[in-house]
Structure formats: C-alpha cells, structure tokens
Amino acid sequence: MALASAVHPLPPSPFKSLRQHPHLVLSSTPLKPPTRRHPTSILAFHKPTHPKPQPLHPLRSPPRLIRHRISAKSADPDSQNASSGLQNVVGVLHLVVSLGLVLAADKFLKSAFVAASIKFPSALFGMFCVFSVLMALDAVAPPAAAGLMGFFEPATLFIQRWLPLFYVPSLVVLPLAVKDIPAASGLKICFILVGGWLASLSVAGFTAITVRKIVKTEMVDAEPMKKPSPFSAVEFWIWTVVFISSFVVAYLYPTALGTSARTCLPFLLAATVLGYIVGSGLPSDVKKVFHPIICCFLSADVAAFSFGYFSRSGLDAVLGDYLTKTSTNPGAGDVLMGFLGSVIISFAFSMFKQRKLVKRHAAEIFTSVVIAAVFSLYSTAIMGRVIGLEPSLTISILPRCITVALALSIVSFFEGANSSLTAAVVVLTGLVGANFVQAVLDKFRLTDPIARGIATASSAHGLGTAALSAKEPEALPFCAIAYALTGIFGSLICSVPAVRRSLLLIVG
C-alpha cells in the first residue's frame, strides 16, 4: 500500500484525448504559427487566419486536381485571345450581313421603281417601310423591335462613321461641274448659297422658339445615341499601302482591271479615305476653319492631278474616271455615292430610336421643318430670279439645304437640271454651315437646344449636324430628326406637280 501510494498516477495519454476529441489541439508548448522548418509538425496546428475553412490535410489534395488548376491558369491567356478573335470575326460578319441587307434593299427598290416608272425616291419609300415595320413590332412585340434595331446597329454605325465621305464625290468632280459656268454666274450662286443659308437658319431657329413658347413643352432627356469608333493608326497605314501600290499599278498598267476607271478606282478611293481620316484627326480649332471634308476632297483632287500629270492623261480624264455614273464601269465616286440610298433607309432607325422625343416635341419639330423646307425652295427661286441667274442653274440649286441623297432625287423631277452642280452646291452649303453655324447661333441668341438643332440641320443638313453635335451633344437628337425630315418634306413637296409648276413660274 505504501508502495502504491508512493507512486503517482500517470496522467491520461494526450493521444487518447485527441482521439476522443478530434477538435482539440494539444501541445506541450504554447502554440505558434507553423514555420518553414516544421511544416508538417502534428502538434503545430493552429487556427487559420483567412475566412474560408481549409482542409485538415492540405497536402492530401488530389494531384490530378492540382495539375488541372495549374494547366487551366496557364491556358487562360490563350483562351481569352481565341475568344477575342472569335468575337471580332463574328462582329465583322454581323456588319457585312446587316449592311449588305440594307444595300440589297436599296438596290431592289430602285430597280423596282425604275421598272414601274415611278419617279418617287425609292430609298425614301424604303425608309417609310422600315419605320412602319419597327413601329408595328413595337406595338405588338417590343422585344422583336429591339432585336431588329440591335441587328442593324452595326450597319447604322458604319453609315454614321463614314457619312461625310458619301458627299465627297460631288466636290471632287466640282471642276468638271462648274467648267462651263461663267464666272458671273458662279458669283451669283455663291451669293445665293451664303445668303440663303443664313436666311434658312434664321427662319427655322426662330420658328422653333416661337412654337415652343406657344405650346410650352418642357425639355426631356433624349435617348442615348451610340457613337461610332474613331479611326485607328492601323486603318491609316492599310489605306496608305493600298494607295501607293494601286497608284504604281495604274501608272504601269493603265488598263490592268479592264478599263481605266476600274484601274484608277483603288488609289482614288484610298486617297479619298485617307484625306477623311487625316482631316478627322486634326485639332478641333483647325477643323473650325478647315473641315475634314475639305481635306478629303482636296486629297482626292491632288491624287487625280498627280496621276494625270505623270500619265499625261490630264486632270479632266482622271476626274471622269472618278465618277462615271455608269454601273458597268464604276469609279471610286460611284462606289461612294452608291451608299446614298442606304443612308436614307438608315434614317428610319434613328427616327424610331427618338420616337418618344419626336412625339413630345412634334409641334416644334414638324412646324419648323415644314416652314424651313418650303422657305428654302421658294426663297432660292426668288433670289435666282431677282439677281438674274440662268433658270437652269437656279433649278439645279433649288434643294441647297437638303441632303445630297434627296437633293438629287428632287432635281430629277425637273428637266435640264445639272445634278453635279446640285450636289456640289449642297455640299458647299454644308461646309458653310459646319464652319459658321455655332457663331451665328450664338450671335442670334438661339440657346435652346431644340432651336439650335433644327436650325442647323434645316439649313446645313449632315455636315452642319456633325459640326454642332461634336460640341453640343444635347442638340444631336433634334439635328438628326430635322436632318431627315427636311429632306423628306422637301421631296414630298416637289413631288406635287402644282408645286413644281409654281417654282418653274418663279424661276422664269
């Protein structure tokens, strides 16, 4: 007993307690965080510091899973590059399909109207059809209308991005258009152009202000308009390579593509595009007095003059190849002007996007546009008669404030009109508006964005719209709406025989 009492009982085994209570961690020394010296010590477990629980034995994770995670991380950049490349390919295909459908619709309608001997602009009819379809879908199935808008968005952005470029061919061949016009008549046309632009801007702007005061409509935010992407250095260098290589080929082999017009087409088109890209990249202060479209047509004319000089064919011959006006032997200008019909059809998508805005401010917009369109046509006829301009030239410049696509359709109603002069005067009117519209609007104290937008588009169409919206985006929706509606009402008015007879009577 003495021996038994002298022997102290052994303490319970710590491993037994550990087996009974696995959640307890025992140690004969104070617990410390594990170090690299003892990474696998059994008695050195401690509570993890991160919020997520970790497995008790991290080294026992399946090696296949670890290898899978490592390989997945290493493959991420390649998969991202492949995904980005696939998206780019899909985007290009989307653009080709959507733009191709618009161009195909324009070509189909044009051929159908010619076969039926209908003189009404086919593209304008197509615009009405597209707008009606969108409105009907929006009333029955709004997701379908939104899906249709989304499908054609790449095409509309493409047209918006290159829109000023489609006006250039008429300016490039301006030396041919005014070749037979006397200097005195040219000065009279310039007077009508500048004075008529100023008068049309004043009438449209103050009409919008007056109507808005009468109806007392409050301003609301417009639907956001997606902007096209700017030009990149890659595009510039690609078109530069095309220009140099095709210029050399055309010089060495003048009929390499069958005709001189087809052979000159690549380098003349590249020169036109390069001029627009360079002009668009100029500082904003420079673009106030040197609009990108000026740089654009000057670039094309310099290229035409250079080729005519080196090939000894002359400037007139090269400009004749630039715009042949024949579908079987097209030139660079014919390719660009081939988009004018699709421009008109694309108006339907812009009008549908701003349909709520049009409805809310319908009184100001429609009243101002109708009055401005009628005033522009009749004031031009009156001024031409007063200053003694030749009747054929006066008729050619009647739609001076309407976009080229519809202006050419309007003069087609009249016999003896010079369509080249029409397009040139329309573009020159746009240039005047683009350079001076903001200063004149400020001088007239037209601060209302509705009035500024309607006045700009009704007097200087697309070029004025581009210049104003770059500095005043809040006026862009009203510019876009007035830009389309001015041409529409002008075309509708001139399609009435009585209106055409009255204009001819004034012109003399």
Side-chain angles (χ1 to χ4, degrees):
M1 293 293 294
L3 182 61
S5 61
V7 179
H8 296 284
L10 293 174
S13 173
F15 296 99
K16 181 179 179 181
S17 300
L18 183 61
R19 289 193 299 267
Q20 295 175 352
H21 305 283
H23 61 281
L24 296 177
V25 179
L26 301 178
S27 178
S28 59
T29 58
L31 295 178
K32 294 181 180 180
T35 61
R36 292 184 178 179
R37 296 180 181 178
H38 308 285
T40 59
S41 176
I42 298 176
L43 300 178
F45 292 118
H46 66 284
K47 185 177 180 180
T49 57
H50 43 75
K52 293 184 179 181
Q54 298 295 321
L56 186 60
H57 302 287
L59 296 181
R60 296 181 182 177
S61 298
R64 291 184 179 178
L65 181 60
I66 295 176
R67 287 196 300 269
H68 176 71
R69 291 174 180 173
I70 295 174
S71 62
K73 289 183 178 180
S74 63
D76 281 344
D78 294 336
S79 62
Q80 290 178 359
N81 293 334
S83 177
S84 177
L86 181 60
Q87 290 179 356
N88 292 335
V89 172
V90 172
V92 172
L93 292 176
H94 190 182
L95 170 62
V96 171
V97 173
S98 60
L99 184 61
L101 288 175
V102 177
L103 292 172
D106 174 50
K107 185 176 181 179
F108 171 77
L109 289 174
K110 187 178 297 183
S111 60
F113 273 52
V114 171
S117 301
I118 301 176
K119 292 186 177 181
F120 188 80
S122 60
L124 191 58
F125 174 79
M127 187 204 70
F128 283 132
C129 291
V130 173
F131 183 75
S132 301
V133 169
L134 288 171
M135 291 296 293
L137 288 177
D138 186 59
V140 178
L148 192 61
M149 286 285 294
F151 177 80
F152 284 100
E153 185 179 56
T156 56
L157 288 177
F158 176 87
I159 293 173
Q160 182 182 349
R161 190 179 192 228
W162 297 101
L163 182 60
L165 197 64
F166 306 138
Y167 296 93
V168 172
S170 301
L171 275 179
V172 174
V173 299
L174 186 61
L176 297 180
V178 301
K179 185 177 181 180
D180 299 327
I181 298 178
S185 300
L187 292 176
K188 294 177 182 178
I189 291 174
C190 291
F191 173 78
I192 295 175
L193 188 151
V194 177
W197 166 76
L198 188 61
S200 297
L201 182 143
S202 304
V203 169
F206 286 110
T207 300
I209 289 291
T210 302
V211 175
R212 187 160 184 247
K213 288 181 179 179
I214 294 174
V215 299
K216 298 179 180 180
T217 306
E218 296 182 0
M219 286 289 297
V220 295
D221 294 334
E223 293 291 331
M225 302 289 290
K226 190 174 181 180
K227 296 183 179 180
S229 59
F231 299 109
S232 63
V234 175
E235 292 177 291
F236 172 81
W237 288 113
I238 289 176
W239 283 106
T240 301
V241 172
V242 172
F243 170 76
I244 295 175
S245 58
S246 58
F247 188 95
V248 173
V249 171
Y251 175 73
L252 297 177
Y253 308 100
T255 58
L257 299 179
T259 63
S260 58
R262 293 177 183 174
T263 307
C264 293
L265 189 154
F267 83 83
L268 288 175
L269 179 62
T272 309
V273 174
L274 282 173
Y276 182 60
I277 293 176
V278 173
S280 300
L282 295 175
S284 57
D285 294 337
V286 176
K287 287 191 287 187
K288 289 182 179 179
V289 295
F290 193 73
H291 197 274
I293 200 172
I294 299 178
C295 182
C296 186
F297 87 82
L298 286 179
S299 174
D301 278 334
V302 169
F305 175 81
S306 300
F307 186 81
Y309 175 80
F310 287 112
S311 64
R312 298 182 181 180
S313 58
L315 177 63
D316 291 352
V318 181
L319 291 181
D321 290 335
Y322 184 88
L323 188 63
T324 63
K325 297 182 180 180
T326 57
S327 58
T328 57
N329 186 32
D334 299 284
V335 173
L336 294 175
M337 295 190 72
F339 285 90
L340 291 177
S342 62
V343 170
I344 300 173
I345 295 177
S346 69
F347 289 162
F349 299 99
S350 300
M351 292 175 60
F352 177 77
K353 192 172 183 63
Q354 302 295 344
R355 61 193 181 282
K356 296 180 180 178
L357 195 68
V358 175
K359 183 178 180 180
R360 182 176 181 85
H361 299 281
E364 302 104 295
I365 295 172
F366 284 91
T367 303
S368 302
V369 166
V370 170
I371 292 177
V374 174
F375 175 82
S376 173
L377 291 169
Y378 281 94
S379 63
T380 303
I382 293 173
M383 284 191 291
R385 180 68 176 268
V386 170
I387 65 177
L389 184 64
E390 291 87 338
S392 61
L393 299 181
T394 304
I395 293 173
S396 301
I397 65 174
L398 282 177
R400 55 181 174 78
C401 293
I402 297 173
T403 183
V404 171
L406 295 177
L408 296 177
S409 299
I410 290 175
V411 295
S412 65
F413 291 122
F414 301 90
E415 296 182 0
N418 186 341
S419 59
S420 298
L421 177 61
T422 301
V425 168
V426 169
V427 175
L428 289 175
T429 301
L431 286 178
V432 173
N435 289 329
F436 303 108
V437 66
Q438 287 183 293
V440 173
L441 289 174
D442 294 338
K443 188 69 175 179
F444 289 168
R445 297 181 181 179
L446 294 173
T447 57
D448 192 326
I450 296 179
R452 293 176 74 90
I454 294 176
T456 300
S458 299
S459 61
H461 44 80
L463 293 178
T465 295
L468 183 67
S469 60
K471 294 291 185 66
E472 304 176 20
E474 67 276 4
L476 176 59
F478 303 100
C479 284
I481 296 168
Y483 172 50
L485 294 181
T486 301
I488 293 171
F489 282 118
S491 300
L492 292 175
I493 291 170
C494 290
S495 64
V496 179
V499 173
R500 294 200 300 271
R501 287 194 296 267
S502 64
L503 289 171
L504 291 173
L505 182 62
I506 295 174
V507 168

